[in-house]
Structures are given as structure tokens and as C-alpha cells.
Amino acid sequence: MTLPSLHRIFPLILSIAILTICCEAADTAYTISLESPTEHLVQVQIILSPGPPTRELQLPVWNALYQVRDFAQFVNWVRAKDRAGHPVQIRSLNNSRWQLEGVGSGAIVEYQIFVDSFGPFGAQLNAHHAFLNLAQVLMYPSDSRNEAMTVRFSHLSRDWHIATPLPSASDVYTAENYDRLVDSPVELSEFHESDFDEGGGHFRVIIDADPADYDSDKVIANLHQIVAAATSWMNDRPFDTYTFFYHFPRGPAGGGMEHAYSTAIEINTETIRRTLFPLNSVTAHEFFHLWNVKRIRPQTLEPIDYTKENFTRALWFSEGVTSTAEEIIQLRAGLLDEKQFLSRLSEQISELENRPAHSTQSAEESSLGAWLEGFDYYRRPERSISYYNKGELLGFMLDLAIRDASHDRASLRELFQWMNANYAKKGRFFDDSNGVREAAEAVSHADLGWFFAKYVAATDEIPWNDFLRYVGLHVDQFSISAPDPGFMASRNFDGPMTVVALSPGGEAEKAGLQVGDIVTEIQGKTAGEESDQQLSRMQPGDHISVKVRSRGRDHELHWKIASRQQFSYQISDLDNVTPEQRAHRTAWLKGEAESAGAP
Ligand SMILES: [Zn+2]
């Protein structure tokens, strides 16, 4: 997934074939009624087949985001009857689990749930559309989660269509089990659909946005390049049809969410109008996830435990190294050039080095910490690093280490292809960091234990220049005078911009800003994705005006931007780049080993 503003803290201290099952044959048949769009209320009916007399239903406490969100908070009521229509007893076992008695001949369960969470991780019904993360809406029978299921939708607004990667026969959608069902988002609206074929695959592009806000031809052209670059890099296309869901809302937007056969991506219209870079980046990232995390999957995420956290040490790889691949794919697609690529890499190094927690929290610990990211304090730079940020950098350094150790016969590409062949294609899951090490050593024929011990499991400083020398590059550290607004703010995935820290004795504190305040506007613009860039353009001495909500009251505060010393890192050529280093760099920038397959 991609959470655009989760760790980007300002100031710049710091970024199948159709199953031939009929609804009667499925153990569990759902009907989702979209009866009350303006009230955001959905009614769900579950028909359970005959089975044991006592059964339990579970609503997930999490899905998609690695955060417990307790979807049961939105369930207004639940009732049940038997197949003859007589009421049966249903009682809560805990907040997210219900028990049914006397249902040996089957049962019909009904409940009402409020759905108004925007973004690719949420479920939302309103007058404009419905977008459903089904795990947020559908309870599953605990004894038949792995059985086939069907779902249909009723009471759609006139002119709405349905888009989902689930196969269907007429209006009934089918899934081989609950995991597949809830890995398939559903868009119901007057969306615009553009389809294209590339490399033998069929791609559906579902866009729910005002056509005046984006250039459809450009979006599709870039998509072509991204899917071609990614499938050629992996030399694999494990699907016939893949669906891109895009939302370009005018307000705050929520990033991207990966699925096995689709992705849902949301980007603010102002951003899309200005540049397609963020759209390309998040698209390349989420598309690559169809391999890394959906198919090349750590054991610790399986089986999915919908009742509590699945703790994993592997997110530095499953998320962070997906970001590495995102950059390589954009290079191969011609959507980034060398200069842009190195500049983005420099920014990632600056972000990590300027976060004090980089010397106290390892990449594995930050992976475990994902489940704490909903808490404001946890997102402070002295408490946590981002597994996206450090993981992306580790991906690049591991790529260089494999190239060096294998005399450029292998690279990150061979590592992913090895994991795809030895885990994904065999239906196996890898043993977190040990599984990545196993793959890295298999393709490089070298001991890389030192890399994992120092930089993945521990917090040793990464010697950038030792790695970058292989491709004729080095990093310079500059002390720069940067604008300091006197506060840091960050957002949880869909939450408001919250002040998490203040510069002690600084101008923001003197103006009355407090930790915990919600920032609603900066310089007259709604606080959101653009805020960090907006602040980075300000100069020491500039006046800043910020609207905040503090303990329920709205205030407008003004103060002067100060300055602070911080380090900036820039990658550039070594003084004398040798022809060998040049050749290594060319191969590195293509994402390919120089002599793959050579003896
Ligand atoms: Zn991701």
C-alpha cells in the first residue's frame, strides 16, 4: 500500500476462470443492499447453508491497512432467523463475533452497517458512489471461511454500474473463499471505464472522477508503459485480467491499496492536474505488489488473522523493497531519467538520516511497529522510522551488494524472480528476513549474512559510499539552513493533520500552537498531501498563517518562519568514474544484471 503522508513529516526534518457454482451451492451467500446512500447505511443479508446447529460469525477487526480499526463499531444491529423464517438466537461473544444457535437447517442473518470511510482502504456509500472494501462490511462464518461464497448487490442507484475483479454469472459474483472475496474491491457508480491489452494481459481502468480533472489518454499511456516494464522485469504475468480503480477527489486523498488482481488508488485532483509523477509512482508500487506481498508473501501474514494483528518483521521488504521496484519500473518505463532517479534516492537518504530513530529502531522493528502507526506519538521522528523509507534504501543497497558479490551476474531482479519461482509459484510463503537472505544468497552465491545482521535486524549506520562506489557514485552530506515552521505534523492514513511535536521555545509554540492540535489550513489552503511541499517553499522570515482546531475550538494563528540547521544528502559522480563502474551503473539503471546467465 502507499500512505502518502503517514511519515512525511514537515518541517523538512525530513516522505480464474469463472467458478461454475450457483448461489445455492455456496455455503455463504451475501446480498448487500445499498438502500440509504445519503445516510451511508448498507444492509447485509447472509444466507447460511444447512450445517452444524451452532455457528459463529466474525467481522474482521482489520484488513488492508496494518491497523486494527474494529469495523464492528459501525454495526447498528444484527438479527437472525431460520430458513422457515422463525427467529433464532444470536448473541455477541465479543465486539466482533456473534454466535447463532439452532441453525442446523441453515439461517438468514441480517445486519445494518454504516459505511462512510473514504479512500482505497475504506468502505463508503454516498449519493455519488459506493466503494467497498468488503472486509469492512461482510461477516464470515468462522467454520467455512475457506468455502466458496457469492455476493450480489441490490438497490443500486439508477445509472450506477458495478466494477470488481470478482467473476460473475449474471448479477451474482463468486469467490473461492472469503480471503479472495475481500481482496476484491467493488466500485458502484457512474464510473468511466477504459480497457486495454498489453503483453497478452487484459487491463480494466475504472475511473471515478470528473473527466475535466484529468487527461485520460495520458493516464492510459503511462499505464501501458508501467505494466509493460513491470511484467518484463519479472518475466511473468500471473493473471489474465487486472483492474485499476482510480479516484481523483477534490478533497484529501488516501494513497493506494494492492490486491492480487486489482489495485485501488486515490489522488487529489490538484496533484493530478499539476503532474502525473505521483500517479505513476503509486501505480508502479501497487502494481508490483501483485507479486511482492500478494504472491511473494511472508509466512507471518498467513493465514490472515482477521481477529487480531498479524505481526510481521517483513514489511521493510514487502513494502519498502516494493518502493525500490517502483523506482526501477519507472526507470525502465522511461517515466524517470537518471537525474530524477538519483535525486529521489538522495531525498530518501536525507529522510532516513534526519530521523533520530534511525539509530534506535531497526527495519524489522519498524515492520512490527506498523500496528502502532495510528498513534500520533509513535509517528514522531525520535520514536519511529518508516519501513517504506528504510526498506526502499535497503532494496537499493541489497541490489548493489548482490551485483558486487556475484560480479554482476545477479541483481534484485534475479532475487525477485527466484522468490517468485521458489515461493509464489509453489504456493509457499517465505520466512520473513531469513527468506529474503536465502534468495539473495542463492542468486549471488555469496554469504550476505552481514547485510541482514547489520542493516535489517540492527541499526548500524548504512555506509552509503561503500555500496555506491560499485556504480561510480558517492554521497555528499551538506549542512543546510532550512526553514523551520516550529512544529511537526503528520496524518494517520485518513485522519486529520495533527501536530505531533513543537520546537521548544519556538515561534509556533509562542503563538499558541499545541501538540494534538488539528491543522485545518495553512496559508489559506486545506491541510493535506500538499502541505509539506507548501511549507518547504517558505523562507526563514516569512509570515505563516495556520488555522487549527484545538480542543474543539477553531483558531487562526500567525508567526514567523525561523531557520534550523539540518543535513542534506546528495548523490553525485565520483571524481574518476572507471569504465567498469560506468558499465555497472548502466546495468543498475536498467534493473538488469550485466551478464545474467553467464557461467
Ligand atoms: Zn505498498
Side-chain angles (χ1 to χ4, degrees):
M1 71 195 72
T2 307
L3 306 167
S5 38
L6 184 66
H7 270 281
R8 208 179 273 171
I9 290 196
F10 54 87
L12 295 180
I13 302 195
L14 321 164
S15 201
I16 323 182
I18 292 178
L19 290 172
T20 50
I21 47 170
C22 147
C23 38
E24 288 304 315
D27 178 74
T28 310
Y30 298 97
T31 301
I32 300 176
S33 299
L34 309 176
E35 280 170 22
S36 315
T38 53
E39 293 164 274
H40 317 293
L41 292 173
V42 160
Q43 201 159 311
V44 178
Q45 182 194 66
I46 310 176
I47 299 179
L48 295 174
S49 298
T54 301
R55 302 191 68 179
E56 291 180 10
L57 291 171
Q58 171 79 38
L59 186 65
V61 303
W62 75 278
N63 171 259
L65 274 183
Y66 303 109
Q67 287 186 24
V68 171
R69 291 188 282 160
D70 279 328
F71 302 131
Q73 65 179 298
F74 299 117
V75 178
N76 285 334
W77 50 259
V78 187
R79 62 188 177 217
K81 53 193 176 189
D82 64 18
R83 300 294 283 263
H86 304 117
V88 297
Q89 196 192 344
I90 181 163
R91 69 187 186 104
S92 302
L93 295 178
N94 61 41
N95 286 332
S96 301
R97 203 170 181 94
W98 289 263
Q99 188 180 64
L100 296 157
E101 305 263 13
V103 293
S105 60
I108 300 170
V109 179
E110 290 171 326
Y111 55 92
Q112 185 187 63
I113 184 163
F114 175 84
V115 292
D116 193 27
S117 323
F118 74 91
F121 319 103
Q124 184 174 54
L125 169 65
N126 57 34
H128 168 73
H129 83 150
F131 179 78
L132 301 175
N133 164 4
L134 292 175
Q136 189 164 335
V137 178
L138 301 181
M139 300 176 186
Y140 63 85
S142 59
D143 56 5
S144 50
R145 186 180 137 188
N146 295 320
E147 310 282 316
M149 298 183 172
T150 65
V151 60
R152 52 186 291 276
F153 302 90
S154 74
H155 296 82
L156 272 68
S157 288
R158 227 157 41 96
D159 303 326
W160 281 15
H161 315 284
I162 304 177
T164 171
L166 292 170
S168 69
S170 72
D171 66 339
V172 179
Y173 294 85
T174 57
E176 63 259 43
N177 54 41
Y178 184 79
D179 288 0
R180 170 67 63 234
L181 180 67
V182 301
D183 188 44
S184 309
V186 190
E187 168 75 20
L188 306 102
S189 66
E190 296 177 56
F191 55 79
H192 178 78
E193 176 164 358
S194 311
D195 289 28
F196 67 90
D197 294 309
E198 171 65 53
H202 183 64
F203 296 86
R204 299 179 66 193
V205 187
I206 309 294
I207 305 184
D208 177 35
D210 184 337
D213 288 340
Y214 64 95
D215 182 335
S216 175
D217 292 345
K218 271 193 189 155
V219 169
I220 303 289
N222 288 357
L223 261 181
H224 256 282
Q225 289 168 278
I226 289 167
V227 302
T231 50
S232 82
W233 197 60
M234 286 301 287
N235 192 26
D236 185 37
R237 181 178 51 77
F239 57 85
D240 294 322
T241 300
Y242 184 93
T243 306
F244 291 95
F245 293 93
Y246 287 117
H247 293 95
F248 304 142
R250 295 232 158 87
M257 184 62 221
E258 69 275 7
H259 301 282
Y261 295 94
S262 65
T263 178
I265 291 171
E266 191 180 83
I267 292 194
N268 168 278
T269 41
E270 283 176 36
T271 306
I272 289 289
R273 280 202 199 127
R274 211 182 59 251
T275 167
L276 287 181
F277 270 120
L279 182 71
N280 295 338
S281 294
V282 67
T283 298
H285 179 103
E286 306 308 336
F287 188 68
F288 190 71
H289 267 314
L290 80 87
W291 291 282
N292 198 25
V293 98
K294 296 313 296 188
R295 290 175 176 80
I296 301 173
R297 192 159 174 83
Q299 181 66 67
T300 39
L301 288 180
E302 288 289 331
I304 300 170
D305 189 343
Y306 295 105
T307 72
K308 63 178 193 300
E309 301 93 329
N310 277 84
F311 287 106
T312 174
R313 286 183 167 79
L315 294 184
W316 69 269
F317 181 76
S318 298
E319 285 298 346
V321 187
T322 295
S323 291
T324 314
E326 159 196 336
E327 298 295 290
I328 293 169
I329 289 163
Q330 289 181 89
L331 271 172
R332 285 175 69 88
L335 297 169
L336 283 182
D337 62 26
E338 178 176 351
K339 191 163 169 255
Q340 290 164 326
F341 168 79
L342 292 177
S343 158
R344 288 158 68 105
L345 183 52
S346 301
E347 280 172 24
Q348 292 294 324
I349 293 174
S350 296
E351 185 183 330
L352 182 67
E353 293 286 353
N354 278 301
R355 270 188 99 85
H358 82 271
S359 55
T360 51
Q361 187 183 49
S362 70
E364 290 188 337
E365 287 165 342
S366 81
S367 303
L368 290 169
W371 300 90
L372 293 174
E373 284 175 342
F375 298 109
D376 292 339
Y377 189 89
Y378 180 79
R379 300 198 302 274
R380 288 168 68 140
E382 67 272 30
R383 173 65 183 90
S384 62
I385 57 166
S386 159
Y387 49 81
Y388 288 94
N389 170 227
K390 185 161 183 185
E392 177 180 334
L393 291 166
L394 288 176
F396 281 120
M397 298 308 124
L398 183 59
D399 188 10
L400 292 171
I402 291 172
R403 288 166 187 276
D404 196 355
S406 69
H407 306 288
D408 238 324
R409 289 196 183 93
S411 70
L412 192 64
R413 182 188 194 185
E414 281 67 37
L415 178 145
F416 271 118
Q417 291 192 3
W418 190 93
M419 292 183 84
N420 200 33
N422 289 280
Y423 285 103
K425 300 283 183 194
K426 291 182 178 167
R428 299 164 61 213
F429 305 111
F430 70 88
D431 178 22
D432 287 18
S433 303
N434 289 334
V436 183
R437 177 184 167 180
E438 174 197 16
E441 295 186 340
V443 300
S444 67
H445 305 288
D447 179 356
L448 291 170
W450 56 273
F451 184 94
F452 290 84
K454 288 178 178 200
Y455 311 125
V456 175
T459 56
D460 290 33
E461 292 289 337
I462 300 175
W464 308 109
N465 291 335
D466 292 354
F467 290 103
L468 289 167
R469 188 178 303 117
Y470 189 69
V471 286
L473 294 168
H474 75 130
V475 180
D476 284 316
Q477 176 188 300
F478 302 94
S479 177
I480 58 165
S481 178
D484 175 17
F487 71 102
M488 282 174 232
S490 70
R491 289 168 65 205
N492 189 16
F493 66 99
D494 65 350
M497 186 79 74
T498 308
V499 177
V500 297
L502 291 162
S503 306
E507 297 299 316
E509 189 178 67
K510 284 183 197 160
L513 194 69
Q514 298 180 59
V515 169
D517 284 358
I518 291 167
V519 178
T520 55
E521 277 185 24
I522 297 173
Q523 304 293 74
K525 289 188 80 174
T526 307
E529 284 172 275
E530 304 280 297
S531 298
D532 50 352
Q533 285 156 27
Q534 194 185 356
L535 282 167
S536 71
R537 289 192 292 266
M538 299 190 78
Q539 296 300 319
D542 285 355
H543 288 271
I544 183 170
S545 117
V546 175
K547 278 195 185 159
V548 297
R549 189 161 304 142
S550 182
R551 294 169 193 263
R553 293 181 55 199
D554 292 320
H555 302 271
E556 185 160 350
L557 304 173
H558 307 266
W559 66 90
K560 237 189 216 182
I561 300 284
S563 72
R564 66 159 13 114
Q565 290 304 111
Q566 69 172 62
F567 289 116
S568 172
Y569 294 78
Q570 257 167 35
I571 297 175
S572 57
D573 276 358
L574 287 169
D575 285 342
N576 295 299
V577 182
T578 65
E580 288 78 15
Q581 288 169 324
R582 202 47 83 198
H584 294 157
R585 192 186 310 174
T586 302
W588 184 52
L589 294 173
K590 280 192 197 154
E592 292 176 359
E594 263 179 276
S595 48

